[in-house]
Amino acid sequence: MNISENTEAILKQIELKYESINQKTETHLEGLLWSKPITYWDYIQTDALLNLQIQRTTLPDEMVFIMYHQVNELMFKMILWEMHQISYSQDIKTDFFAERLTRISRYFDMLTTSFDIMGDGMEVDQYLKFRNTLTPASGFQSAQYRLIEFSSTDLINLIDHRYRASIDRNTPYEHAFEHLYWQAAGKDYQTGKKSFLLEEFERKYKGVFLRHMEEYNTINIWQKFKQLPEVDQKNPDLIQAMRHFDHTVNITWVMGHLNAARKYIDNGQGSGEATGGSDWKKYMHPKYQRRIFFPELWNAEELANWGVEK
């Protein structure tokens, strides 16, 4: 049997691969004799993916609502995947940082422009009916979105601006967690009582959040930016890319979400209340949130007018 030089070289590389993990090459090669050819539907797990949409009502537009939010969660996972690469890159290079940041921004740009799918894709009457079956669930409870926030910036920038002066890097994570900006959507700071929405969210994810807060304390996007050469940190194109990401996530995307909510919740036909019971207008509007990932990259006027609608 004649084996080409190319095939022989590949077989040698395969042998070296399995030797490095103390495996027998022959066993793995023989396994190939019985393996099935890969198909698109097996690789993408199409059948499993398309069976994850379970309606609670008979209203057709509920399916739009479910699928739209599932697509969002898949996009969040893509964003977190890119963030992980930046955060865990040793001796990070500017080109690598900028390319991955561009990917992340592109995903959020897509999310921002996608609100028309939901905003113009459901009948208000149908939404007002099926939303009553969703209480007390809320999009507020997207854990991946919170992980994106923790991965983006120093924790102090996610603290409710009313309490930032009393919190620093030496503050226990548990205490900082209780003063994150989104706590205000489901917590009475006078009594300390939390809504069922917030209690359930924390019961499920608080441990995950605390670990992620600590893990990304020194490797978030801002901290990795500060590891780049000083000359690159002053590069106008890179600064603009950082500003675009910040503005897109914390203003453009948020306002797109808010405007969609206004159409369906604040239209005079329903109660005007969020399914989870939060003060959704103040929670969602960026001028109240004051959430800014990279405040050092904005001037005083821009910071003062953050999220103000023109």
Side-chain angles (χ1 to χ4, degrees):
M1 180 176 62
N2 294 323
I3 299 178
S4 70
E5 290 184 5
N6 186 51
T7 301
E8 188 172 355
I10 292 172
L11 288 171
K12 183 60 178 177
Q13 291 176 44
I14 291 173
E15 188 171 20
L16 291 172
K17 171 185 175 179
Y18 288 118
E19 281 182 356
S20 69
I21 57 173
N22 198 28
Q23 293 283 300
K24 292 182 178 180
T25 304
E26 293 83 356
T27 301
H28 288 273
L29 290 176
E30 186 176 354
L32 291 174
L33 292 174
W34 317 115
S35 64
K36 295 188 298 182
I38 190 68
T39 61
Y40 173 82
W41 52 91
D42 284 336
Y43 181 65
I44 301 299
Q45 292 291 293
T46 310
D47 292 341
L49 189 63
L50 299 182
N51 278 285
L52 295 175
Q53 294 75 45
I54 311 298
Q55 287 186 253
R56 293 176 61 86
T57 73
T58 59
L59 297 162
D61 281 355
E62 185 193 0
M63 187 62 83
V64 177
F65 189 79
I66 293 170
M67 287 190 286
Y68 177 77
H69 284 84
Q70 288 184 343
V71 168
N72 278 359
E73 291 295 336
L74 286 173
M75 294 300 297
F76 290 161
K77 186 170 184 177
M78 292 176 73
I79 290 166
L80 286 167
W81 185 256
E82 302 295 346
M83 287 181 156
H84 182 87
Q85 292 184 64
I86 290 175
S87 295
Y88 278 90
S89 175
Q90 300 295 322
D91 189 26
I92 192 164
K93 305 300 182 186
T94 302
D95 288 348
F96 180 87
F97 178 93
E99 198 274 336
R100 291 306 189 277
L101 180 66
T102 299
R103 291 186 189 182
I104 294 166
S105 290
R106 188 182 301 126
Y107 300 150
F108 258 110
D109 287 341
M110 177 180 172
L111 286 168
T112 298
T113 58
S114 74
F115 275 112
D116 288 345
I117 294 172
M118 187 175 66
D120 297 326
M122 299 186 299
E123 293 180 8
V124 173
D125 287 346
Q126 286 194 44
Y127 174 78
L128 291 176
K129 291 174 182 176
F130 74 69
R131 78 185 294 265
N132 289 329
T133 71
L134 308 181
T135 304
S138 168
F140 172 95
Q141 295 170 315
S142 171
Q144 288 198 111
Y145 188 71
R146 304 304 168 196
L147 297 181
I148 288 172
E149 293 178 328
F150 297 141
S151 302
S152 296
T153 186
D154 288 344
L155 191 56
I156 191 64
N157 296 321
L158 301 176
I159 299 296
D160 188 316
H161 65 92
R162 294 171 295 177
Y163 305 102
R164 288 180 189 172
S166 63
I167 291 176
D168 57 30
R169 279 193 170 274
N170 296 318
T171 300
Y173 291 105
E174 183 89 21
H175 181 77
F177 180 84
E178 292 298 333
H179 292 82
L180 291 168
Y181 80 92
W182 45 263
Q183 288 276 350
K187 181 178 181 180
D188 184 332
Y189 278 101
Q190 298 299 318
T191 65
K193 183 174 176 55
K194 299 183 180 184
S195 65
F196 181 79
L197 163 82
L198 191 54
E199 287 180 339
E200 287 299 293
F201 191 40
E202 292 184 6
R203 185 175 291 114
K204 174 71 173 176
Y205 292 113
K206 183 175 180 179
V208 174
F209 291 158
L210 288 172
R211 289 191 293 273
H212 203 85
M213 288 161 64
E214 183 172 6
E215 178 184 357
Y216 279 79
N217 184 42
T218 59
I219 59 172
N220 58 64
I221 298 297
W222 175 249
Q223 290 296 322
K224 299 303 284 191
F225 173 78
K226 297 299 288 182
Q227 290 178 22
L228 300 176
E230 288 190 21
V231 64
D232 291 335
Q233 291 181 41
K234 296 177 182 178
N235 182 292
D237 291 337
L238 185 56
I239 290 175
Q240 180 54 37
M242 292 285 283
R243 285 166 53 95
H244 176 78
F245 171 60
D246 200 352
H247 189 276
T248 300
V249 178
N250 294 319
I251 294 183
T252 313
W253 189 81
V254 175
M255 289 305 300
H257 195 177
L258 176 62
N259 289 331
R262 283 170 171 166
K263 174 178 178 179
Y264 289 102
I265 300 175
D266 201 26
N267 55 26
Q269 297 183 45
S271 65
E273 296 180 358
T275 52
S278 65
D279 186 350
W280 60 275
K281 294 178 185 177
K282 284 193 173 182
Y283 158 66
M284 294 180 71
H285 204 297
K287 73 177 181 181
Y288 297 116
Q289 289 180 14
R290 301 295 301 161
R291 182 188 59 185
I292 307 170
F293 288 161
F294 317 127
E296 294 88 343
L297 301 183
W298 302 91
N299 63 43
E301 182 180 358
E302 291 169 329
L303 293 173
N305 292 300
W306 191 260
V308 175
E309 296 179 76
K310 298 178 180 179

